[in-house]
C-alpha cells in the first residue's frame, strides 16, 4: 500500500507513544464506570463538577423542547438563536468586556481569532508551551511566528524589540494545560503596552477555577479590556457544557464576525447547549463553595505529596502534574494506578517535551476529601517504588 500507514503506527507503538481510548459508561464525575469497571477519576477538566449537574442538564432538556436539537445553520445565516444571543450578553457582562462571541469549540475559536487578526505583514509571539490549537492558529495565520521561552518576559521582550511587523500579537495560555502554572500576565500586559502589541489569553483552564467569582486569570490579575484585549474561554471545562467564546471590544467582535472563518463557515452550537451554559454560568458565578472546596483539595494534595517526596510543579490550579521522566514509566504508573481503581492520565511527547512525561492529575469540586486520600494512598504504593527504580 502506497501510504504504508502500518509502518508509522508500528513506529509509534515501539516508542511507547501509542494512544488508545477508553469508553466512559457514566456521567462525568469523581466516580465513573469505564469499560465496565468502576474507577475513581482524576483526569477530566470538569473542575467545578458542572458537567453532570442536575440544573444544567434540566436547562438543556427544557431548551431542547423549545429550540429542538440542532443549530441548523451558521450564525450569519439563521443559526443565531435568542439563547446564543443571551449567553453572549451574559458572558460579556461576566468578563467585564464590551462584547462576547460564541464559537463551536476552543480549537476553532483560537484558529478563527488569530487568523482574523493577523496576516503576512504581522507577527505572533507564543509561549513555547502554548496549547496546540494556538500554535496551529499561529501557523495558519501566515504571520511571522515566534515561540518564546516559557513564561520568560525577558526573552519575549528581546524578540519584540527586534520586529518591524505591522501588528504584534502576544499569545499565551492563562493556566498552562499540561503544567498547571499561570502566565505572568501583569508583566505580559505591560510589555504589550510598551511595544504597541496586543495580548491574547486562552483561559480554558482558568475560568471557573480561578478568580473570586470564577472569572479566571483576568479576574485573578485584575486585567481589564485595555490590559487584555483578546480573552478566550472554553465552555467544555469548568462550565461543564461545550463550545467557547471570545470576549473583547466592540471592534474586535465585529472583526471576528466579518473575518473569522471558523466562525463564519460552521453551524452554530445547539441552542440547548447555550441554554445549559447560561445555567452553568449562574452556578459558576454564585456557588463560591465549589472554588473554595476545590482549593482546599488542591492544598491538601500538595502538602501530602511534599511529605511523600513527590515531584510536583509550581501549580496552584486544579492541574497538578507529577513529573516522572520517561514515557514508559509514566504509562506503567498510570496502569498500576488503574489496577487499583484510580484513573490518572499519563501525558507523553509530543504533548509535552521529551523526558518530562508525567501523570496529569486534575481535581474537581466533585471530589471529596476521602477521594483525595484514596489517590494519595495509591500514589504512595505505586509511584515511589517505580520512581526509585527509574532513578
Ligand atoms: C481544551 C483547550 C482548548 C480546546 O478547547 P475545546 O473547546 O475543547 O476545543 C483550547 N485551549 C486550551 C488551553 C485548552 O486547554
Amino acid at each position: 500500500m502506497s501510504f504504508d500507514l502500518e509502518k508509522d503506527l508500528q513506529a509509534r507503538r515501539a516508542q511507547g507513544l501509542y494512544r488508545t481510548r477508553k469508553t466512559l459508561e457514566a456521567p462525568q464525575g469523581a466516580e465513573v464506570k469505564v469499560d465496565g469497571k468502576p474507577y475513581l477519576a482524576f483526569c477530566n477538566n470538569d473542575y467545578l463538577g458542572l458537567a453532570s449537574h442536575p440544573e444544567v442538564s434540566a436547562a438543556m432538556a427544557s431548551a431542547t423542547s423549545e429550540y429542538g436539537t440542532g443549530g441548523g445553520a451558521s450564525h450569519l445565516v439563521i443559526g443565531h438563536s435568542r439563547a446564543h444571543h443571551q449567553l453572549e450578553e451574559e458572558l460579556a457582562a461576566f468578563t467585564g468586556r464590551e462584547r462576547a462571541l460564541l464559537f463551536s469549540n476552543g480549537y476553532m475559536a483560537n484558529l478563527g481569532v488569530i487568523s482574523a487578526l493577523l496576516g503576512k505583514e504581522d507577527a505572533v509571539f507564543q509561549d513555547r508551551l502554548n496549547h496546540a490549537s494556538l500554535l496551529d492558529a499561529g501557523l495558519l495565520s501566515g504571520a511571522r511566528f515566534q515561540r518564546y521561552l516559557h513564561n520568560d518576559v525577558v526573552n519575549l521582550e528581546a524578540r519584540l524589540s527586534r520586529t518591524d511587523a505591522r501588528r504584534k500579537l502576544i499569545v499565551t495560555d492563562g493556566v498552562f494545560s499540561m503544567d498547571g502554572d499561570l502566565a505572568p500576565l501583569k508583566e505580559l500586559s505591560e510589555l504589550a503596552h510598551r511595544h504597541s502589541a496586543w495580548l491574547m489569553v486562552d483561559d480554558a483552564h482558568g475560568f471557573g477555577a480561578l478568580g473570586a467569582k470564577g472569572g479566571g486569570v483576568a479576574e485573578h490579575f485584575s486585567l481589564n479590556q485595555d490590559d487584555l484585549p483578546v480573552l478566550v474561554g472554553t465552555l467544555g471545562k469548568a462550565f461543564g457544557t461545550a463550545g467557547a467564546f471570545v470576549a473583547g471590544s466592540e471592534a474586535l467582535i465585529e472583526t471576528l464576525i466579518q473575518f473569522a472563518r471558523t466562525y463564519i463557515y460552521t453551524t452554530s452550537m445547539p441552542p440547548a447547549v447555550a441554554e445549559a451554559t447560561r445555567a452553568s454560568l449562574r452556578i459558576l458565578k454564585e456557588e463560591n463553595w465549589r472554588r473554595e472546596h476545590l482549593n482546599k483539595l488542591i492544598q491538601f494534595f500538595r502538602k501530602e505529596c511534599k511529605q511523600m517526596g513527590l515531584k510536583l510543579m509550581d501549580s496552584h490550579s486544579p492541574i497538578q502534574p507529577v513529573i516522572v521522566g520517561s514515557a514508559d514509566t509514566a504509562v506503567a504508573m498510570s496502569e498500576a494506578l488503574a489496577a487499583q481503581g484510580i484513573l490518572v492520565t499519563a501525558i507523553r511527547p509530543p504533548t509535552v517535551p521529551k523526558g518530562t512525561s508525567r501523570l496529569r492529575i486534575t481535581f474537581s469540586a466533585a471530589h471529596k476529601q476521602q477521594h483525595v486520600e484514596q489517590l494519595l494512598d495509591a500514589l504512595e504504593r505505586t509511584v515511589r517504588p517505580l520512581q526509585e527504580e527509574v532513578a
Side-chain angles (χ1 to χ4, degrees), residues 95-216:
T95 54
R97 266 59 182 167
E98 284 167 18
R99 284 183 68 184
L101 189 73
L102 292 175
F103 281 77
S104 304
N105 57 56
Y107 207 122
M108 297 248 257
N110 287 336
L111 290 187
V113 172
I114 298 181
S115 45
L117 292 179
L118 303 183
K120 272 207 264 306
E121 56 281 37
D122 304 316
V124 61
F125 301 85
Q126 300 217 18
D127 189 291
R128 59 185 294 268
L129 298 189
N130 274 355
H131 190 262
S133 59
L134 293 170
L135 300 174
D136 291 355
L139 295 173
L140 180 71
S141 72
R144 276 168 274 166
F145 184 87
Q146 298 200 36
R147 293 169 84 170
Y148 58 88
L149 297 177
H150 178 51
N151 280 349
D152 189 330
V153 182
V154 175
N155 183 256
L156 171 59
E157 176 142 45
R159 291 167 186 274
L160 279 166
S161 41
R162 281 198 301 266
T163 185
D164 58 356
R166 179 188 69 150
R167 290 179 179 167
K168 292 158 266 188
L169 183 67
I170 302 168
V171 179
T172 182
D173 281 23
V175 177
F176 284 87
S177 51
M178 295 301 140
D179 294 54
D181 57 339
L182 306 187
L185 292 183
K186 279 273 182 215
E187 289 83 349
L188 290 178
S189 164
E190 284 161 19
L191 199 57
H193 275 304
R194 267 209 304 286
H195 289 269
S196 313
W198 266 19
L199 178 61
M200 167 173 171
V201 172
D202 172 354
D203 203 20
H205 300 278
F207 275 110
L210 296 176
K213 291 282 160 213

